Amino acid sequence: MKVLGICGHSGSGKTTLIEKLLPLLRQRGLRVHVIKHSHHDVVLEPPQKDSSRFRAAGAGDVMLVTPYRYAIMHELRDTPEPSLSECLHRLSPADLVLVEGFKREPIPRLEVYRPANGKPALYPQDSGILAVASDVTAPEAAPQWLMLNDADSIVNWIFDTIYANH
């Protein structure tokens, strides 16, 4: 599987960009998965629901299956958080996996950068960032620069740089 990290400071628009890219990548015939890393505890179901009750009672894995999707909830308890590599091995086959988070992993990344957020760009200190998607024009000495509102160009870059050539 090809892997591309989508990085940037909180509030930069990473999730919104991924939402725009997914249908365009699918139109190109790619099967795309997304891994989202969070530092927060996420409530997947209300505590009174069956699957939450099973986990609270001590189940290690609980699989919830419906006619529309399934989810496996795995309680880590006292075990370490899985690495990106371990997460990738748990996914079904795909052409491309977009990763939001895991920014310290050695994968190619696209930075979403909005100077109006008041936070510095990541690319000057991160050689893993191959391109930047931004809402401003490129400064000098920048890597490949893409306009954030031009999802088609970003998909072209992903297809040409990440998917087709690696």
Side-chain angles (χ1 to χ4, degrees), residues 111-125:
E111 178 180 0
V112 178
Y113 173 57
R114 291 181 189 263
N117 282 357
K119 296 177 181 169
L122 301 173
Y123 71 86
Q125 287 77 40

Side-chain angles (χ1 to χ4, degrees), residues 4 6 17 24 34 36 59-60 75 97 99 107 124 128 132-133 143 158 166:
L4 174 65
I6 307 293
L17 177 60
L24 297 174
V34 177
K36 162 74 177 173
E75 291 296 317
V97 179
V99 177
I107 58 173
V132 176
I158 291 171
H166 289 91

Side-chain angles (χ1 to χ4, degrees), residues 52-72:
S52 293
R53 291 171 57 196
F54 298 149
R55 290 191 337 269
D61 284 348
V62 174
M63 180 181 273
L64 177 61
V65 181
T66 75
Y68 309 99
R69 68 192 55 87
Y70 70 89
I72 299 173

Side-chain angles (χ1 to χ4, degrees), residues 17 20 24 114 133-136 146-154:
L17 177 60
K20 289 178 182 176
L24 297 174
R114 291 181 189 263
S134 183
D135 55 357
V136 299
L146 305 162
M147 295 310 296
L148 187 55
N149 63 353
D150 188 354
D152 287 316
S153 290
I154 296 171

Side-chain angles (χ1 to χ4, degrees), residues 80-128:
E81 179 179 309
S83 68
L84 176 58
S85 177
E86 291 170 312
C87 293
L88 289 168
H89 283 94
R90 290 181 176 143
L91 294 175
S92 61
D95 300 303
L96 176 66
V97 179
L98 300 176
V99 177
E100 186 178 335
F102 286 104
K103 60 186 170 189
R104 306 239 188 285
E105 291 285 335
I107 58 173
R109 284 184 299 291
L110 169 69
E111 178 180 0
V112 178
Y113 173 57
R114 291 181 189 263
N117 282 357
K119 296 177 181 169
L122 301 173
Y123 71 86
Q125 287 77 40
D126 188 339
S127 62

